[in-house]
Amino acid sequence: IERIIYYILLLYSCYSLLSCFIPGDVILGGLFEVHYSSVFPELTFTSDKMLCVRFDPPGFRHAMTMVFSIDEINKNSNLLPNITLGYSLYDNCATLGIGFSAALSLATGREEHFLQENCSGTPPVLGIVGDPFSTFSIATSNVLGLFKLPIVSYFATCSCLSDRRRFPSFFRTIPSDAFQVRAMIQILKHFNWTWVGLLVSDDDYGLHAARSFQTDLAQSDGGCLAYSEILPWGDNPKEYERIVDVMRKSTARVVIVFAPRMHLVELMKEVCRIYIFRIYWLASEAWTLVDGLDTPAFMPYLGGTLGIAVRRGEIPGLRDFLLQIHPNLHQNNSYGNDLFWEHTFECKFAPPPAGWVEAGGALCTGQEDLENVETDFLDIANPRPEYNVYKAVYALAYALHDMLQCEPGRGPFSGHSCGSLQRLEPWQLMYYLEKVNFTTSFGDQVSFDENGDALPIYDIMNWLWLPDGKTKVQSVGVVKRSASKGEELTLDEDKIYWNFESKQPPRSVCSESCPPGTRLARKKGQPVCCFDCIPCSDGKISNETDSMECTSCPEDFWSSPQRDHCVPKKTEFLSYHEPLGICLTTTSLLGTFFCAVVLGIFIYHRSTPMVRANNSELSFLILLSLKLCFLCSLLFIGRPQLWTCQLRHAAFGISFVLCVSCILVKTMVVLAVFKASKPGGGATLKWFGAVQQRGTVLALTLIQAAICTVWLVSASPAPHRNTQYHNDKIVYECVVGSTVGFAVLLGYIGLLAILSFLLAFLARNLPDNFNEAKLITFSMLIFCAVWVAFVPAYVNSPGKYADAVEVFAILASSFGLLVALFGPKCYIILLRPERNTKKSEPSTVSQSKCKRLTVVVDQLDYNK
């Protein structure tokens, strides 16, 4: 390390540095940019005037702020009493080599000024304020950190300087780029800018900011980079043209720039040439408040820019101190006072350069009045870097004050020793600097964390382009970090000037947000901010913007048409309120009414031969069972309940068996009567008396009742919520429980119906006047046809339509029986009463046979 330092000192020993030294009990060093351009000599020695050109008034003001701060501390009897601070200031000329050489000069000192004969006493400087550049601070801190010499920068923001292993003695009063990056990301989130471009300078400041920005942006899910470009140093129009072309082709409307002023000037020249008006700029603290960009040529493009700026503070008395600056005409180490004077009043001190007077240039007298000249040097209404310089000097002073307050025997060093003014070491000051904590007159708390960073705070600035063409940079918010609330952003959006016709913030997104009801689908090969919005499938929803997945609705719910919330599934069953249910209910009630009408007709005409001759008791039972058949169909309508599911098939099965068994018995009686009309057939009638007929009907019905009982006990029908037919509906239906039981029930009815049909078919040619065989044949034919068609229709009908098919079959077969059996009789009773007599004889039967039939029929008249 010593050899490296030796060669560096040898390399730069030919440079005469601009410096300013004031002695004191303790010396603090300072590195400032008093000039911002330098010309390196080749092989010959040149003067300092040739090395550093282009005077920088803001940099000179920063240096004078340190002088003011030390002067204020020396006058403060409560801070470092009986101790005088001195200072040694150097100009880095905005050049790394010169700045590094100046830092080494501060660290090693000059013998004639600092060291005593026995080499004891204080080092040349105990701490350094500066350097303002991140790259310069990295270089100097790498070396001076080995000697634990504290460096407190007021403007170096590179996040890499927070690495305590590399830079153990580096501190700063300006927030690091890491916090500046997070502040930028908070602004992006606030305005929902998720698709941005990034431009950085080709130095430590820009490259570290780019790396930190990309990492933090990915971790915070705050957006994506459309592009990231590095701005070149120097005159490189081709590269700037390429970068601007990338900006023009990109869909990102917001561009973030981490770069100093010189890069922005070159960039904006190319932007003006291409006429890119749709870009909105976010500025880093490196160029938010610099001069030279708010020109009439640039403001149509830069108007409305939001930027991060160093915290504004107040330094009472600074302006009056600056007004006291006066050139020292008798010393050469005036650290730029004469240059400042020449720059401000546009004059030259004697001897002037050759040709200066001949060209009309004025000579400086030193009597010029700063009060009567317009200069940015005195514009300290909003001191920002100056405020950081002020805090840096005071941090070193308070650390020194705390160290000197140490009580012997209670110190933090080996053997509980304390640091002394006679043998003061920089590492001792660094120990107290890490623990320093004070509040400025402006009310800001100053302390350093474990990385040497102060509590960060930034002002948010907005470039306002006034109608008269002037520019005003106004504060519109603050971003800061506190121990209690963490990082927080405060913006006054009503004050922000937007340089767009809409006067609203621009939209900068790769893909518009996916509304509720859709989900994100990443575009292959694109950043995560570029996506398609895919509607959620049926039964799934997303109720948030930019949802990654659609969630399934609960079992009893279904997605809304917009797919943004779940709604209860529609319920489906054969209802009394829908048209189909109303029609079936009306038909059922009409059938019941017709049965009642026919029953009334038969009761009213019960003494007529037509009613008496055809076994009126069985006819009444058939009408009663048909009425039950019509009414049992109502059990199939309405929301299925347990009792309706159990009762509907039992009532249906028993009612139809009662009806069909009556018809079967009546058919058997007709056959028996005509068989008895033949000679020797009278004995047959003893098996078909009234008791036998009632017993047969009852026995046949009880069989069906037994079938229903076994079915209900073993596997009872029950209501069921079916979600298989329709995904968006719940179909309420009755499951039969046992398919075998249901098949036996229907099969038993079918067996009786077929038997009745066959017997009636055999008796179809008997005399017509008292013979119902043809009517029974026709009614059974209708009955069987309906129920044969019912089976496939029922099996293939889902949900409520299965119930509707069964109700239709019940009603159709019931109407078929009612019309076929009782229609012709009612016709004769009501419209052809002349045929409703015993003497009405058929033309195809002999007289003797009719007499025997009359006797037999009379025997079957139960009403006599």
Side-chain angles (χ1 to χ4, degrees):
I1 293 172
E2 291 178 352
R3 182 173 297 178
I4 293 174
I5 295 175
Y6 170 77
Y7 282 118
I8 293 174
L9 290 175
L10 182 64
L11 177 64
Y12 289 103
S13 61
C14 60
Y15 291 81
S16 176
L17 302 175
L18 285 176
S19 63
C20 176
F21 169 73
I22 297 295
D25 298 325
V26 177
I27 307 299
L28 299 181
L31 292 172
F32 299 93
E33 178 197 357
V34 180
H35 297 79
Y36 61 88
S37 182
S38 62
V39 178
F40 285 92
E42 294 181 358
L43 296 176
T44 59
F45 294 97
T46 60
S47 67
D48 55 347
K49 302 290 184 179
M50 293 295 294
L51 285 170
C52 298
V53 296
R54 295 187 182 179
F55 183 75
D56 185 23
F60 182 65
R61 185 171 63 224
H62 301 162
M64 292 301 101
T65 302
M66 179 175 177
V67 175
F68 166 79
S69 303
I70 291 178
D71 182 65
E72 187 178 71
I73 293 170
N74 288 334
K75 295 177 181 178
N76 188 345
S77 60
N78 297 320
L79 183 62
L80 293 176
N82 302 320
I83 294 179
T84 301
L85 291 180
Y87 56 83
S88 179
L89 310 183
Y90 277 83
D91 180 9
N92 63 21
C93 293
T95 304
L96 176 59
I98 297 177
F100 187 78
S101 179
L104 292 180
S105 296
L106 289 172
T108 57
R110 289 176 291 183
E111 293 181 5
E112 64 271 22
H113 288 302
F114 297 105
L115 298 180
Q116 299 177 2
E117 292 182 359
N118 58 1
C119 293
S120 62
T122 62
V125 294
L126 275 182
I128 297 177
V129 175
D131 191 295
F133 295 101
S134 294
T135 301
F136 297 6
S137 295
I138 292 172
T140 56
S141 297
N142 264 323
V143 176
L144 301 187
L146 300 174
F147 306 102
K148 301 296 178 67
L149 178 65
I151 300 175
V152 186
S153 177
Y154 62 93
F155 217 67
T157 60
C158 181
S159 57
C160 60
L161 288 166
S162 296
D163 187 350
R164 297 310 275 174
R165 291 182 299 177
R166 290 185 58 193
F167 313 106
S169 64
F170 181 82
F171 300 82
R172 53 183 157 196
T173 54
I174 187 173
S176 73
D177 287 335
F179 180 74
Q180 183 179 192
V181 164
R182 292 195 295 271
M184 288 284 193
I185 293 175
Q186 287 196 52
I187 295 175
L188 297 181
K189 286 185 173 182
H190 182 83
F191 293 106
N192 293 321
W193 293 331
T194 59
W195 187 238
V196 297
L198 178 64
L199 304 179
V200 299
S201 56
D202 190 8
D203 53 16
D204 291 307
Y205 170 74
L207 297 178
H208 280 89
R211 190 178 304 115
S212 178
F213 187 86
Q214 294 179 24
T215 302
D216 290 356
L217 189 66
Q219 292 177 351
S220 66
D221 293 329
C224 306
L225 285 179
Y227 53 86
S228 178
E229 297 290 342
I230 299 176
L231 300 175
W233 287 91
D235 186 16
N236 193 343
K238 290 294 184 182
E239 182 64 11
Y240 278 104
E241 181 179 350
R242 184 194 66 80
I243 293 173
V244 172
D245 187 60
V246 171
M247 297 166 57
R248 180 181 59 84
K249 293 179 180 179
S250 174
T251 57
R253 297 194 61 188
V254 175
V255 176
I256 303 170
V257 184
F258 288 90
R261 170 186 174 277
M262 60 188 72
H263 292 81
L264 265 295
V265 172
E266 298 299 324
L267 178 67
M268 293 312 300
K269 288 179 181 178
E270 185 64 24
V271 170
C272 294
R273 189 181 70 83
I274 303 297
Y275 298 105
I276 305 179
F277 288 97
R278 64 182 184 86
I279 296 295
Y280 187 77
W281 303 87
L282 285 183
S284 69
E285 45 77 28
W287 64 279
T288 296
L289 298 175
V290 299
D291 297 327
L293 293 175
D294 54 347
T295 63
F298 292 165
M299 283 309 294
Y301 307 90
L302 292 177
T305 295
L306 277 179
I308 301 291
V310 177
R311 172 69 167 168
R312 182 192 72 84
E314 289 183 3
I315 308 177
L318 177 60
R319 191 176 189 279
D320 294 335
F321 178 83
L322 295 179
L323 287 172
Q324 297 176 11
I325 294 176
H326 194 273
N328 189 340
L329 303 180
H330 304 289
Q331 296 185 17
N332 294 326
N333 63 342
S334 56
Y335 193 71
N337 289 15
D338 53 348
L339 296 177
F340 160 70
W341 206 263
E342 291 178 347
H343 175 84
T344 302
F345 295 102
E346 298 180 353
C347 61
K348 294 292 182 179
F349 284 101
W356 174 261
V357 177
E358 291 77 3
L363 290 177
C364 298
T365 64
Q367 304 302 316
E368 291 85 1
D369 188 2
L370 281 175
E371 289 274 11
N372 298 326
V373 67
E374 291 186 5
T375 173
D376 293 336
F377 177 77
L378 297 175
D379 184 13
I380 57 170
N382 297 307
R384 297 179 188 275
E386 295 82 4
Y387 188 51
N388 284 340
V389 173
Y390 184 78
K391 291 190 292 185
V393 175
Y394 265 87
L396 289 170
Y398 271 102
L400 180 61
H401 179 84
D402 293 341
M403 182 175 66
L404 297 179
Q405 297 298 314
C406 176
E407 298 182 11
R410 295 183 179 181
F413 308 124
S414 61
H416 301 288
S417 61
C418 297
S420 65
L421 189 61
Q422 290 72 26
R423 293 186 176 275
L424 208 55
E425 298 289 343
W427 60 267
Q428 295 175 328
L429 181 65
M430 191 182 78
Y431 173 84
Y432 284 93
L433 189 60
E434 291 174 343
K435 301 180 181 303
V436 76
N437 192 337
F438 65 96
T439 302
T440 68
S441 59
F442 189 59
D444 288 337
Q445 182 184 0
V446 179
S447 63
F448 300 103
D449 61 15
E450 64 277 5
N451 297 321
D453 296 327
L455 288 175
I457 182 171
Y458 275 118
D459 290 335
I460 309 299
M461 310 303 292
N462 180 228
W463 289 24
L464 179 62
W465 193 21
L466 301 175
D468 59 1
K470 295 183 179 180
T471 302
K472 176 183 177 183
V473 181
Q474 60 179 355
S475 176
V476 294
V478 170
V479 59
K480 62 182 179 179
R481 184 177 67 201
S482 60
S484 58
K485 298 182 179 180
E487 296 179 4
E488 56 180 337
L489 170 68
T490 304
L491 276 178
D492 186 356
E493 293 192 44
D494 295 334
K495 293 177 61 177
I496 299 178
Y497 167 73
W498 303 105
N499 193 25
F500 301 101
E501 293 183 2
S502 63
K503 303 302 178 184
Q504 297 293 323
R507 291 283 296 165
S508 187
V509 295
C510 181
S511 300
E512 291 294 337
S513 296
C514 290
T518 61
R519 64 175 178 84
L520 294 178
R522 306 293 187 197
K523 291 183 177 179
K524 188 175 182 180
Q526 298 276 345
V528 295
C529 297
C530 301
F531 48 80
D532 293 320
C533 297
I534 306 299
C536 293
S537 57
D538 292 341
K540 294 185 176 182
I541 64 159
S542 64
N543 53 10
E544 296 179 352
T545 302
D546 292 335
S547 177
M548 296 297 298
E549 295 293 338
C550 296
T551 57
S552 300
C553 289
E555 184 180 2
D556 293 344
F557 290 82
W558 193 249
S559 55
S560 65
Q562 295 78 23
R563 306 289 197 274
D564 57 356
H565 66 281
C566 293
V567 296
K569 286 184 178 181
K570 296 178 181 178
T571 57
E572 182 179 274
F573 54 87
L574 190 58
S575 171
Y576 288 106
H577 305 290
E578 61 178 305
L580 181 59
I582 293 173
C583 291
L584 294 176
T585 301
T586 303
T587 305
S588 175
L589 295 176
L590 284 177
T592 305
F593 174 73
F594 290 151
C595 287
V597 169
V598 173
L599 183 60
I601 293 174
F602 269 54
I603 292 175
Y604 184 78
H605 297 279
R606 63 185 177 278
S607 59
T608 61
M610 181 61 68
V611 177
R612 294 175 60 198
N614 289 281
N615 200 339
S616 57
E617 182 176 339
L618 290 179
S619 297
F620 291 145
L621 278 176
I622 291 174
L623 287 172
L624 179 61
S625 63
L626 286 176
K627 184 182 291 188
L628 293 176
C629 289
F630 280 116
L631 291 176
C632 79
S633 64
L634 298 177
L635 296 173
F636 291 85
I637 304 174
R639 183 165 180 166
Q641 305 291 334
L642 179 60
W643 68 273
T644 58
C645 290
Q646 293 176 337
L647 187 58
R648 60 168 62 174
H649 290 105
F652 149 70
I654 293 173
S655 299
F656 267 99
V657 165
L658 177 60
C659 178
V660 175
S661 60
C662 290
I663 295 173
L664 177 60
V665 170
K666 179 176 279 200
T667 305
M668 294 170 63
V669 168
V670 170
L671 286 174
V673 167
F674 281 97
K675 187 174 182 181
S677 65
K678 298 179 181 179
T684 308
L685 288 177
K686 67 179 181 179
W687 299 104
F688 294 95
V691 177
Q692 287 81 0
Q693 294 180 39
R694 296 190 190 103
T696 303
V697 171
L698 180 60
L700 295 175
T701 305
L702 287 177
I703 293 174
Q704 183 72 309
I707 294 173
C708 292
T709 301
V710 173
W711 179 19
L712 294 177
V713 171
S714 61
S716 174
H720 175 63
R721 298 165 63 257
N722 194 320
T723 58
Q724 302 301 316
Y725 295 141
H726 306 283
N727 290 329
D728 58 341
K729 294 179 183 178
I730 299 177
V731 178
Y732 287 93
E733 60 183 2
C734 287
V735 291
V736 296
S738 172
T739 306
V740 175
F742 186 47
V744 171
L745 181 143
L746 292 178
Y748 183 64
I749 296 174
L751 176 64
L752 296 180
I754 292 172
L755 187 58
S756 298
F757 171 75
L758 293 176
L759 294 177
F761 182 77
L762 295 175
R764 69 189 185 282
N765 292 325
L766 297 178
D768 295 339
N769 209 46
F770 304 106
N771 184 12
E772 291 182 291
K774 287 185 178 181
L775 302 180
I776 293 174
T777 302
F778 185 63
S779 65
M780 288 296 102
L781 185 61
I782 296 174
F783 184 88
C784 292
V786 168
W787 287 101
V788 168
F790 159 77
V791 174
Y794 180 83
V795 171
N796 293 288
S797 298
K800 66 178 183 179
Y801 298 104
D803 293 335
V805 167
E806 191 165 357
V807 171
F808 179 81
I810 293 172
L811 295 178
S813 57
S814 299
F815 271 110
L817 294 176
L818 179 63
V819 173
L821 292 176
F822 298 97
K825 297 177 182 179
C826 291
Y827 172 77
I828 292 175
I829 293 172
L830 297 177
L831 301 179
R832 300 294 295 274
E834 69 275 6
R835 295 180 57 185
N836 191 10
T837 61
K838 289 184 180 182
K839 295 182 179 181
S840 178
E841 52 184 59
S843 57
T844 58
V845 184
S846 62
Q847 291 293 330
S848 60
K849 201 169 188 177
C850 283
K851 289 178 181 179
R852 291 195 297 271
L853 284 172
T854 300
V855 174
V856 173
V857 171
D858 286 342
Q859 293 174 355
L860 297 175
D861 187 5
Y862 308 124
N863 295 325
K864 285 179 68 175

